[in-house]
Amino acid sequence: MSRFFSEKYAALTPYTPGEQPRERTYIKLNTNESPFPPSPIALRMARQAAGNVNLYSDPTCMALRKAAAARYKVDVDEVMFTNGSDDILNFAFMAFSDEAHPVVFPDITYGFYPVFAQLNRIPYETIPLKDDFTICADDYVGIGKNIFIANPNAPTGIALPLCDIERIVASNPDNVVVIDEAYVDFGGESAVSLIHKYDNLLVTQTFSKSRSLAGARLGMGFGCKALMQDLNTLRYSTNPYNINSVTMAAGVGALTDENYFRFACDTVIETRAWTEKELKRLGFEMPPSSTNFIFAKHPSIPGKEMYLQLNEQGILVRHFDAEKLTDYNRITIGSKEEMQTLIETLEKMLCEK
Ligand code: PMP
């Protein structure tokens, strides 16, 4: 830390992103990326846009908003875009919460929420998951605080039904409820349609998983017009050009190519079912996943040891050191071939035990 670093950030513990190694080729199952390249339409549009990067991008993101409005049956004023969904989540903490408007979220969830709360000096409370790792919706009904829920949750992979989300939103009319749907396309029920009914609901999604654009950084938010205006006030006060024009074009292509999107999601779901079956055959235990990852533990290998052994074999998964998670590893669903290699490697590892 330099002697100039502001005291207000001195105690901040930043988010630790998953490893992104460049020095060696891994089977990379650690940050829930798509095993597929972006849609050919997205790539073609991005290439075309690359020729014009001497000009600023469109700060209104109108082409993207029109494509999303058509795809998700919302108005162009009910959707907005940011540089990855982390960006809109940060804006949501900044815009709606402060000392007088604290935040709650589950104790086991996306690790960025407590960082955003600390960064913006927002008091927060965490609510423990049940022993089976599910979120107890009743814990949030009428709680009277701003709420962040990842649905499906991470790193557990478990989804809450839409009726529970609606109960939470309806029972907290004077608080903002943010539903982070980063993984919804792999089996969750989206709350986007509820934005027309509730003015306190913000739904966020990402192009990093189901739309194969993690490196392009594109996130999307849905809410009533007034919520979008608030978040845009912050966006225009930080970086109105936070979506570059190449990403914008790729995003429009990805939103238009519904067939490719369905193919990618369906294939991941199919490979997930195969992987779950194989992991169970090897004695692994896991909660039911509605995402593009599986959160698994084995009774005879500690989570950290398995992570290290897989790493040595060139397979990268995500291990969390937190107490309740330490037995587990989060394994992204890669291609069928990658998952076959994973299963063969685990089988050998367990035989040698
Ligand atoms: N929410 C959850 C639950 C996530 O796991 C992630 C990915 N790490 C994000 C949001 C952010 O994704 P991105 O910024 O790539 O859109």
Side-chain angles (χ1 to χ4, degrees):
M1 191 191 304
S2 81
R3 62 202 162 91
F4 307 107
F5 196 45
S6 168
E7 227 172 75
K8 64 180 185 277
Y9 298 125
L12 184 64
T13 313
Y15 178 70
T16 312
E19 297 163 82
Q20 307 297 349
R22 297 288 185 255
E23 76 290 354
R24 175 178 168 186
T25 312
Y26 280 94
I27 291 184
K28 197 169 175 302
L29 307 177
N30 70 327
T31 45
N32 301 339
E33 291 137 320
S34 170
F36 306 108
S39 123
I41 300 179
L43 282 179
R44 196 180 62 234
M45 292 183 70
R47 273 193 208 102
Q48 277 165 6
N52 294 325
V53 289
N54 53 314
L55 303 176
Y56 281 109
S57 57
D58 169 17
T60 70
C61 299
M62 193 44 87
L64 266 176
R65 284 163 57 205
K66 280 187 177 159
R71 167 64 175 75
Y72 291 94
K73 302 190 172 48
V74 298
D75 194 84
V76 286
D77 293 329
E78 294 169 327
V79 61
M80 66 180 283
F81 287 84
T82 53
N83 191 301
S85 58
D86 284 338
D87 213 21
I88 192 164
L89 290 167
N90 184 33
F91 288 147
F93 274 88
M94 287 169 77
F96 309 120
S97 298
D98 50 39
E99 281 286 334
H101 302 91
V103 167
V104 284
F105 44 81
D107 64 340
I108 296 172
T109 189
Y110 185 32
F112 228 136
Y113 302 159
V115 178
F116 288 138
Q118 276 182 52
L119 175 69
N120 297 298
R121 307 170 140 226
I122 295 161
Y124 69 93
E125 197 183 294
T126 58
I127 299 181
L129 295 184
K130 291 198 259 184
D131 287 344
D132 63 359
F133 281 151
T134 54
I135 290 173
C136 177
D138 287 337
D139 290 344
Y140 298 84
V141 168
I143 197 166
K145 293 181 178 149
N146 291 342
I147 299 170
F148 282 73
I149 289 181
N151 192 40
N153 198 12
T156 63
I158 304 173
L160 264 184
L162 189 57
C163 55
D164 280 339
I165 297 292
E166 181 160 10
R167 272 195 312 132
I168 294 168
V169 177
S171 65
N172 290 288
D174 297 324
N175 294 95
V176 175
V177 179
V178 179
I179 305 299
D180 172 354
E181 295 187 347
Y183 300 104
V184 75
D185 297 326
F186 303 105
E189 287 178 276
S190 176
V192 167
S193 62
L194 296 182
I195 64 157
H196 300 121
K197 201 165 159 191
Y198 301 100
D199 69 355
N200 62 325
L201 172 64
L202 172 68
V203 179
T204 64
Q205 293 193 5
T206 179
F207 285 58
S208 300
K209 320 292 177 186
S210 53
R211 296 190 187 272
S212 303
L213 288 172
R217 313 301 301 127
L218 190 60
M220 164 166 77
F222 300 93
C224 71
K225 191 175 167 182
L227 283 188
M228 298 292 100
Q229 276 170 344
D230 296 342
L231 294 165
N232 270 311
T233 296
L234 297 177
R235 195 170 75 85
Y236 276 80
S237 304
T238 46
N239 180 5
Y241 303 111
N242 63 344
I243 315 294
N244 70 71
S245 39
V246 176
T247 293
M248 209 175 292
V252 172
L255 280 173
T256 331
D257 198 347
E258 190 64 24
N259 286 342
Y260 190 84
F261 168 76
R262 270 285 36 107
F263 149 80
C265 295
D266 290 349
T267 310
V268 165
I269 291 168
E270 211 178 291
T271 310
R272 179 181 74 208
W274 180 85
T275 310
E276 276 173 345
K277 189 170 78 79
E278 288 296 301
L279 288 172
K280 283 181 186 159
R281 178 176 67 77
L282 300 180
F284 281 85
E285 294 162 26
M286 67 216 74
S289 171
S290 299
T291 60
N292 67 339
F293 58 82
I294 294 173
F295 194 53
K297 69 169 177 182
H298 196 281
S300 60
I301 316 183
K304 183 74 179 252
E305 189 182 321
M306 180 182 300
Y307 159 80
L308 290 170
Q309 284 198 36
L310 283 174
N311 200 309
E312 256 172 45
Q313 309 279 326
I315 301 177
L316 206 50
V317 297
R318 184 94 194 243
H319 182 261
F320 299 91
D321 272 326
E323 194 195 334
K324 290 188 188 172
L325 310 180
T326 191
D327 290 345
Y328 289 80
N329 281 296
R330 193 192 66 189
I331 306 167
T332 302
I333 304 300
S335 66
K336 183 73 184 279
E337 295 70 33
E338 288 174 325
M339 301 324 274
Q340 277 163 342
T341 307
L342 169 81
I343 296 295
E344 283 159 22
T345 311
L346 288 170
E347 198 156 16
K348 260 192 231 141
M349 195 187 291
L350 289 164
C351 278
E352 285 159 13
K353 265 265 165 254

